[in-house]
Amino acid sequence: MQGQDGHDQGTNLFARSIGSSIGVAVFGAVANAVCAGTPHGEKDPHTIVSASAAVFLAVLIADALTVVAVLGMPARSHKAATPRAPAQARSASS
């Protein structure tokens, strides 16, 4: 379908923006939880290292879940993904 490219791109950019916002919020919450759980607070270098390690571990877990989700998706046929030539699209719509 011609004319859907702009809609698809807009939806993709919106989803990426929302995903980035949620990711920053979740990983920031992980770092804040580690900082709040230590008596020295965020001024202590050891606390910052611990919070960073916790965030990296959370990212690793999120990446592993993403790989599992991708592997669980069904394969897509290459025929369905191949766009028709403009001449074929015009003759088919007439």
Side-chain angles (χ1 to χ4, degrees), residues 4-89:
Q4 291 290 323
D5 294 336
H7 178 266
D8 295 341
Q9 185 178 10
T11 302
N12 187 14
L13 288 173
F14 177 73
R16 288 178 65 180
S17 178
I18 293 295
S20 294
S21 298
I22 292 171
V24 166
V26 168
F27 297 134
V30 168
N32 284 335
V34 171
C35 288
T38 60
H40 305 294
E42 69 271 357
K43 303 280 187 198
D44 183 34
H46 180 69
T47 302
I48 295 172
V49 170
S50 297
S52 297
V55 169
F56 282 120
L57 180 62
V59 170
L60 181 67
I61 291 169
D63 286 345
L65 291 174
T66 301
V67 169
V68 169
V70 167
L71 292 176
M73 289 181 183
R76 187 170 147 182
S77 171
H78 289 292
K79 271 188 172 179
T82 306
R84 293 189 295 189
Q88 290 174 336

